[in-house]
Each structure stands twice: as structure tokens, then as C-alpha cells.
């Protein structure tokens, strides 16, 4: 029992640190893609976040929420603590909630053995819609969004493009690993 808790804590720490570093580096490197409050036209962290939470569940969602906070507090929202806390929590919870809402509808097995491109597409669009609407509502409630509809459209586009890019990178990685293992002699 203790080993399971330690393993979960290690997974949490690995996800939080690695996602936090990736999230911050990506946002600094792609500031020119930041078009509306909290909205990039291409946002790779959205794709990474969706897949992390899809695989790691609540542990991934919690780690993403914690990892997002330093950047949004220190950089994006300029020390606005309430907005940073709400946005960070939403950033972790939205992919988890989206997945739980859609999982029964698409009849996805817990082991993902029946995951198809169509089901992944449905998960991606559901997550992107919920994420962009909720995040822009948060921006509007905190007085950050001057054109919330434009923010929703930019964020939705950025989320979808980020998910597509990350999905193709994961696919390429899987192909490379498969080819490498296939070449090894028995």
C-alpha cells in the first residue's frame, strides 16, 4: 500500500516538474502566438495536457494544475493570485472533466484497447470546446478578456492544433520505438 502511494507521488512529481518546464519553455518560446488572454493560436501544452490526463487521470490533472501555477502567476497574470489559482485549477480539471463526460458516450474501455482515431477526435474536440469556453469565461469574469468570443476561437484553434501536433509526434515516436524493437535479434 505504501509502495503504491510512493509510486503515485513519484508519478505526480515527474509530471508536475516535466510539464511545468515544458509549459513555461513553450510559452516563452511562442509568445508571438499569444493572441488573446490565455490563448495561443498554436498551443502544444494543450495536446500534452490532454494526453497526460488521458493516461494519468487525476494524478496527471493535479500535477498539471500545480505545474501551471508558477508561470501564470509570475508571468501571464502578473501576480494576480485569485485569477492564477482559478486558471491553474481549471487547466488541470478541464481535460479530466472532458474525458469523464465523453468516455461513456464513446464507450471507451478503461485500458484504451478500443481507442480509435474517431474516438480520439471526439475527445479532442470535446476537450477543446470545454477548455476554450471555460478559460475565456474565467478571463471575462476576472476582467481580462475584452473580446471573449475571439478568445474562444483563438484558444479552440490553438488547442486543436496543439493536440494534432502532439498526436503526430507521439505516433512518430511509437513508430520509431516499434521499428527499433523489431530490428533487435531474439
Amino acid at each position: 500500500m505504501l509502495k503504491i502511494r510512493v509510486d503515485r507521488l513519484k508519478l505526480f512529481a515527474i509530471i508536475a516538474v516535466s510539464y511545468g518546464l515544458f509549459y513555461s519553455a513553450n510559452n516563452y518560446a511562442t509568445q508571438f502566438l499569444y493572441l488573446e488572454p490565455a490563448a495561443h493560436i498554436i498551443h502544444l501544452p494543450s495536446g500534452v495536457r490532454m494526453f497526460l490526463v488521458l493516461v494519468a487521470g487525476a494524478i496527471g490533472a493535479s500535477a498539471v494544475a500545480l505545474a501551471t501555477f508558477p508561470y501564470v502567476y509570475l508571468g501571464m497574470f502578473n501576480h494576480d493570485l485569485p485569477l492564477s489559482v482559478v486558471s491553474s485549477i481549471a487547466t488541470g480539471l478541464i481535460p479530466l472533466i472532458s474525458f469523464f463526460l465523453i468516455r461513456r458516450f464513446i464507450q471507451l474501455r478503461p485500458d484504451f484497447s478500443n481507442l480509435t482515431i474517431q474516438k480520439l477526435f471526439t475527445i479532442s474536440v470535446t476537450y477543446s470546446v470545454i477548455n476554450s469556453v471555460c478559460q475565456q469565461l474565467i478571463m471575462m469574469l476576472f476582467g481580462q478578456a475584452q473580446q471573449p468570443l475571439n478568445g474562444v476561437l483563438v484558444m479552440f484553434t490553438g488547442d486543436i492544433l496543439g493536440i494534432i501536433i502532439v498526436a503526430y509526434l507521439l505516433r512518430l515516436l511509437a513508430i520509431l520505438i516499434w521499428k527499433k524493437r523489431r530490428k533487435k535479434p531474439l
Side-chain angles (χ1 to χ4, degrees):
M1 183 82 156
L2 181 61
K3 178 161 176 32
I4 292 171
R5 287 184 183 159
V6 170
D7 289 345
R8 288 181 179 174
L9 186 58
K10 284 180 186 176
L11 178 63
F12 175 85
I14 290 168
I15 292 172
V17 170
S18 57
Y19 180 78
L21 292 172
F22 171 74
Y23 181 75
S24 297
N26 179 81
N27 286 340
Y28 282 119
T30 62
Q31 287 180 349
F32 62 97
L33 298 173
Y34 189 78
L35 303 179
E36 290 290 330
H40 288 76
I41 194 67
I42 299 173
H43 200 237
L44 296 178
S46 293
V48 171
R49 177 170 51 239
M50 189 191 83
F51 285 105
L52 276 175
V53 174
L54 190 67
V55 173
I59 292 171
S62 301
V64 163
L66 178 66
T68 304
F69 178 77
Y71 180 82
V72 298
Y73 179 69
L74 298 173
M76 191 180 295
F77 300 133
N78 199 21
H79 296 84
D80 185 337
L81 184 60
L83 174 56
S84 298
V85 168
V86 171
S87 180
S88 296
I89 291 171
T91 298
L93 282 180
I94 290 169
L96 188 64
I97 291 168
S98 300
F99 179 62
F100 282 135
L101 288 174
I102 200 71
R103 189 167 82 192
R104 287 199 176 114
F105 175 74
I106 62 172
Q107 300 175 350
L108 186 63
R109 293 185 190 130
D111 65 356
F112 303 110
S113 61
N114 66 337
L115 182 63
T116 63
I117 293 294
Q118 293 82 6
K119 289 179 182 183
L120 187 57
F121 176 78
T122 303
I123 293 168
S124 301
V125 169
T126 301
Y127 161 67
S128 296
V129 167
I130 293 172
N131 187 55
S132 59
V133 169
C134 288
Q135 289 287 5
Q136 289 304 310
L137 279 173
I138 291 168
M139 296 303 110
M140 193 174 72
L141 290 172
F142 281 89
Q144 296 289 318
Q146 295 176 10
Q147 298 176 336
L149 181 58
N150 194 44
V152 168
L153 296 173
V154 169
M155 186 173 262
F156 175 80
T157 303
D159 288 353
I160 289 293
L161 291 173
I163 291 167
I164 290 169
I165 292 168
V166 169
Y168 275 104
L169 290 173
L170 289 173
R171 183 175 185 269
L172 179 62
L173 181 64
I175 289 169
L176 292 173
I177 291 171
W178 182 75
K179 283 183 179 180
K180 185 177 179 181
R181 286 188 179 179
R182 192 171 177 211
K183 289 182 180 181
K184 285 185 179 180
L186 296 174

